[in-house]
Amino acid sequence: SCSGAHFEFGLNGRRTCGDLAIRMRYASATFTFREAWTVVVRGNHVFDRVTGPTHRLDLTFKEAAGAAARTLPHGIIGQTFSSSAPRHGKQDVYPESGRVATSAMAEGAIEGTAAMYE
C-alpha cells in the first residue's frame, strides 16, 4: 500500500510513493529509493534443479554516485557498499567428495558476528 491505499499495476506500470519509485517490466521490478539506491528483482528458473522450487528471485543492488558515503550504510548488504576495497572473510573448505559442515559465517568480512544479524 501507499499511504494506506492499495494499488496494483502490471507490465510497464510505474508508481511513486514518497521516496520510493517502482517500475514493473515483463520479468523484473525496479525499486529506487531517494534516487540513491536501486534494487532490481528478476524472476528466473532454477537450472539443474534436483528438488525444491522451480523458480527463484535474483536481486541486484546498486548505489548511485556515492550514496553509501552519504547515508552510512549498515547491515550485511550495506557493508558491501561502504568501501571500494574487497572484504575477505572466513571461507569453508569443501572436500572433493562426501559431506561438509558449513562453519564460515563471514567472520572478517562483516562488522561484528553473524549472530548480530539474525
Side-chain angles (χ1 to χ4, degrees):
S1 73
C2 183
S3 300
H6 178 75
F7 65 91
E8 295 179 11
F9 53 93
L11 182 60
N12 293 321
R14 295 173 187 247
R15 178 73 180 205
T16 300
C17 183
D19 292 334
L20 179 66
I22 307 167
R23 180 171 183 200
M24 295 293 296
R25 293 199 173 133
Y26 181 71
S28 68
T30 302
F31 301 85
T32 304
F33 182 69
R34 294 186 182 163
E35 297 184 13
W37 295 96
T38 300
V39 178
V40 179
V41 181
R42 289 184 178 85
N44 208 339
H45 297 280
V46 175
F47 299 101
D48 297 325
R49 176 182 162 274
V50 176
T51 63
T54 58
H55 292 84
R56 68 175 195 251
L57 294 177
D58 295 335
L59 299 145
T60 303
F61 294 83
K62 298 177 186 174
E63 61 123 355
R70 294 191 310 271
T71 58
L72 299 175
H74 57 281
I76 291 176
I77 294 170
Q79 288 178 41
T80 65
F81 291 97
S82 66
S83 170
S84 59
R87 291 178 173 251
H88 300 287
K90 181 180 175 186
Q91 296 180 353
D92 288 321
V93 176
Y94 296 100
E96 293 276 334
S97 64
R99 295 179 177 253
V100 64
T102 299
S103 65
M105 297 295 287
E107 294 94 337
I110 59 173
E111 301 292 329
T113 65
M116 295 170 63
Y117 299 94
E118 293 178 356

